[in-house]
Amino acid sequence: MSLNTAHVQGGGCLIHAGECIILFTDAVTIDFHGQDGRAFHGSKVGKLFLTTHRLIFINKSDKDDLLSFSMPFVTLKDVELEQPVFGSNYIKGKIRAQPNGNWVGEAKFKLIFKKGGAIDFGQAMLRAASMANSNFPQMDNPPPYAPPEGPYYMADVPYGVPPPGYYGWMPSTAAFPDAPPPQSVYRTDMPPPYPGIIGFTGNPGYASAPPAQTAPPPQHFNGQAADAAQSAYFDPNRPQMAYVPPPSYYELPPPYKEAENKKND
């Protein structure tokens, strides 16, 4: 994770070449715990982008010490969805600092969705993180942050559209139908130094990296099989595994009395 590296002057979001935005909301509050720096004090209200490679928070206040926060999936752990009896649903977890990312150590975070959608966003985030982590070599430290080389430019980024050549899972935008405002997203020509949902598109942080992978075509389910697929559970701590309840393909046996009547006939 890196601090104040994912924005441009004026509050625009800065993404890498090959990085796509798959969910967006402009009504989220983030809180941090476990860090003493001024940038982590107090609640911050702003925009949240779920991309193919990370979470990006852009602060709505330009007077805060924290203007943007980049959270690559490979730096996240212990992510959970919480549904309190009172108050808004939220996502919580831990984040590790990237080397050269303007802070050090680890912090706890909480993302609060005042207008709803925490469960939809959280489930999509968990699945994207699981896919990205399956493409990441197991190492003690995340890849270091590297500042973009060369200029950045305004990007006309399609919202909720999969990357070119990708035919795998994509979350629904039904809970977050509004795309990022025009002239609010910028792009560099530098590829991400960490993997996304389709693997590595570039890797300036390491001498070698796994080859980019394309997810298999989506499977199509019908009836009860679809219900089972929708209730699948992904554990970000075990990205190579997933639990999917088996569908009920068989009908239940007839009631006892009905069986007795058939026997007597």
Side-chain angles (χ1 to χ4, degrees), residues 8 12-16 152-155 183-188:
V8 300
C13 176
L14 183 63
I15 62 176
H16 292 286
Y152 58 83
Y153 49 91
M154 192 177 300
Q183 303 181 3
S184 67
V185 179
Y186 296 79
R187 190 191 298 279
T188 75

Side-chain angles (χ1 to χ4, degrees), residues 66-79:
L66 186 151
L67 299 177
S68 69
F69 209 61
S70 170
M71 296 181 271
F73 297 137
V74 296
T75 65
L76 296 171
K77 66 178 182 178
D78 299 339
V79 178

Side-chain angles (χ1 to χ4, degrees), residues 1 50 53-55 69-79 91-96 106-107 109 111 125-126 128-129 133 142 236-237:
M1 190 217 80
L50 176 65
H53 292 74
R54 54 181 168 163
L55 285 174
F69 209 61
S70 170
M71 296 181 271
F73 297 137
V74 296
T75 65
L76 296 171
K77 66 178 182 178
D78 299 339
V79 178
I91 303 170
K92 69 176 183 179
K94 295 179 182 178
I95 187 81
R96 291 183 298 162
E106 184 177 280
F109 69 89
L111 292 165
M125 170 184 162
L126 283 174
N133 282 322
N237 295 318

Side-chain angles (χ1 to χ4, degrees), residues 67-251:
L67 299 177
S68 69
F69 209 61
S70 170
M71 296 181 271
F73 297 137
V74 296
T75 65
L76 296 171
K77 66 178 182 178
D78 299 339
V79 178
E80 298 178 18
L81 308 179
E82 296 290 339
Q83 302 180 67
V85 176
F86 302 103
S88 303
N89 295 338
Y90 62 90
I91 303 170
K92 69 176 183 179
K94 295 179 182 178
I95 187 81
R96 291 183 298 162
Q98 290 178 258
N100 307 324
N102 297 328
W103 74 292
V104 295
E106 184 177 280
K108 296 180 180 179
F109 69 89
K110 180 189 290 187
L111 292 165
I112 305 169
F113 293 71
K114 295 293 181 67
K115 294 184 179 179
I119 301 303
D120 298 86
F121 201 102
Q123 288 176 342
M125 170 184 162
L126 283 174
R127 181 155 185 181
S130 174
M131 295 170 70
N133 282 322
S134 68
N135 296 315
F136 183 65
Q138 298 301 313
M139 298 183 178
D140 293 335
N141 295 314
Y145 168 74
E149 298 178 358
Y152 58 83
Y153 49 91
M154 192 177 300
D156 183 15
V157 182
Y159 177 55
V161 176
Y166 173 70
Y167 302 99
W169 164 87
M170 284 290 289
S172 169
T173 58
F176 302 97
D178 296 331
Q183 303 181 3
S184 67
V185 179
Y186 296 79
R187 190 191 298 279
T188 75
D189 291 325
M190 180 178 175
Y194 32 74
I197 63 175
I198 58 173
F200 279 86
T201 55
N203 192 39
Y206 290 115
S208 62
Q213 300 179 15
T214 301
Q219 296 180 348
H220 299 283
F221 301 97
N222 294 316
Q224 293 167 328
D227 295 336
Q230 291 174 359
S231 58
Y233 170 71
F234 294 88
D235 184 350
N237 295 318
R238 305 178 69 188
Q240 73 280 9
M241 301 183 66
Y243 169 71
V244 181
S248 300
Y249 291 112
Y250 305 103
E251 297 182 358

